[in-house]
């Protein structure tokens, strides 16, 4: 434990860990639902997101309570402000997983992702899962090294995003405008999910440095 | 003034007003640059966004300083937490204006928006400007009524967004995949800008209620 959430702040830290696990699970399910065109699994993402939203309110309430106490010193204030920001990013990660899940629900029983694009979204789901997994581990172990690695993992997401767009913009693109729009927006949701994860990493690194 | 930022908190409130003005101007410029394919104007959006980022750090530093003072009571803490959230949304509005501006720069000297879609983006720019204008006014006058109107204005943005997608997905769509992807992503940036503005309104309403 370096300089994380301990003492009176420990419940805030453990709620963030629960949120991060749920944000990870939400995108894992959303990606699996997308690739298997599974509406039941896609629905579960909405449930997971609702849990994340509730946990976010819990973090906020605890922070508002703790930050005003006379015992809170300036380091506590920094930790609590960081907790608020991390919670906001995790909440947004849950929202983005829901956006991915909604594409599955909207197109069902047709697949939301054309077979030509499945490999990109499979790989993006794996990268997203890795990023979220490192956030969970960084929050659990207060591990600044893990948190600092998120930028490199995000490069992998950006590269997949570029390749996805190249495929859709190639003269050989066999599908129409609708499949390309779906692909572009889904790609954007994954990219933003990764950005939010990187933001969490930056907040943790600046807290611990 | 209902229950806004006064006394020691006044500088936080006035910095938020300056940020909101800049976030409004950024999207106004980004929209004008998009419709006129004007790279010089598009570049100015980046400058405006950099100002917003600096102001956001100013708000954060002031909040961190004020929230830890023994004089801060629970109402002050709520106001300061609201200021942090509002600043985060305004910062994101600046980022989204930059995304719109970048489309202009990427496609120049070709237009980033096909003539077929210009009317939608003209209208979305107007709605975005109205939303941001209400935020400025609500922050300046602590006006809960204005802040509460943002949801309705956002409905207008959602309707334009739907019509934009209908145009691109129509069998008569005369342009290719690339123009549709550009249109879809630009539409998303405007929609998110409006969402952020609505979020600011919600935070102000819940602070003042």
């Amino acid at each position: 434990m370096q300089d994380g959430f301990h003492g009176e702040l420990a419940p805030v830290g453990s709620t963030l860990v629960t949120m991060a696990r749920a944000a990870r699970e939400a995108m894992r399910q959303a990606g699996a639902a997308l690739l298997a065109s599974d509406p039941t699994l896609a629905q579960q993402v909405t449930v997971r997101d609702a849990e994340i939203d509730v946990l976010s309110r819990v973090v906020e309430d605890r922070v508002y309570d703790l930050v005003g106490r006379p015992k809170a010193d300036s380091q506590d204030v920094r930790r609590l402000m960081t907790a608020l920001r991390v919670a906001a990013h995790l909440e947004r990660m849950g929202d983005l997983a829901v956006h991915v899940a909604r594409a599955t629900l909207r197109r069902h029983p047709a697949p939301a992702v054309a077979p030509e694009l499945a490999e990109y979204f499979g790989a993006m789901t794996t990268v997203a899962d890795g990023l979220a997994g490192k956030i969970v581990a960084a929050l659990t172990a207060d591990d600044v090294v893990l948190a600092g690695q998120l930028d490199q993992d995000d490069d992998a997401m950006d590269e997949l995003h570029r390749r996805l767009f190249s495929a859709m913009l190639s003269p050989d693109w066999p599908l129409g405008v609708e499949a390309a729009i779906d692909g572009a927006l889904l790609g954007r949701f994954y990219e933003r999910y990764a950005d939010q994860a990187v933001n969490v990493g930056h907040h943790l690194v600046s807290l611990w440095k």
Side-chain angles (χ1 to χ4, degrees), chain A residues 121-138:
Chain A
F121 287 101
M124 286 198 274
T125 302
T126 303
V127 173
D129 191 56
L131 281 159
K134 279 190 185 163
I135 289 178
V136 172

Side-chain angles (χ1 to χ4, degrees), chain A residues 71-123:
Chain A
K71 278 169 70 182
D73 62 21
S74 68
Q75 268 302 91
D76 287 343
V77 170
R78 276 188 70 215
R79 284 185 202 105
L80 291 168
M81 298 298 100
T82 300
L84 267 194
R85 313 219 127 205
V86 168
H89 290 302
L90 294 172
E91 190 185 343
R92 187 76 200 128
M93 288 167 76
D95 292 343
L96 289 159
V98 168
H99 285 314
V100 172
R102 278 200 196 127
T104 301
L105 296 171
R106 199 165 47 233
R107 299 286 173 231
H108 183 77
V113 156
E116 286 80 356
L117 300 182
E119 74 168 279
Y120 301 109
F121 287 101

Side-chain angles (χ1 to χ4, degrees), chain A residues 188-202:
Chain A
R188 174 91 190 142
F189 300 146
Y190 274 93
E191 191 197 15
R192 289 296 301 155
Y193 183 93
D195 288 344
Q196 302 291 332
V198 168
N199 285 335
V200 172
H202 288 171

Side-chain angles (χ1 to χ4, degrees), chain A residues 6 32 53 69-70 95 109 127 148-149 154 181:
Chain A
H6 42 72
D53 289 349
R69 292 197 188 176
D95 292 343
V127 173
Q149 289 171 1
D154 185 42
I181 289 180

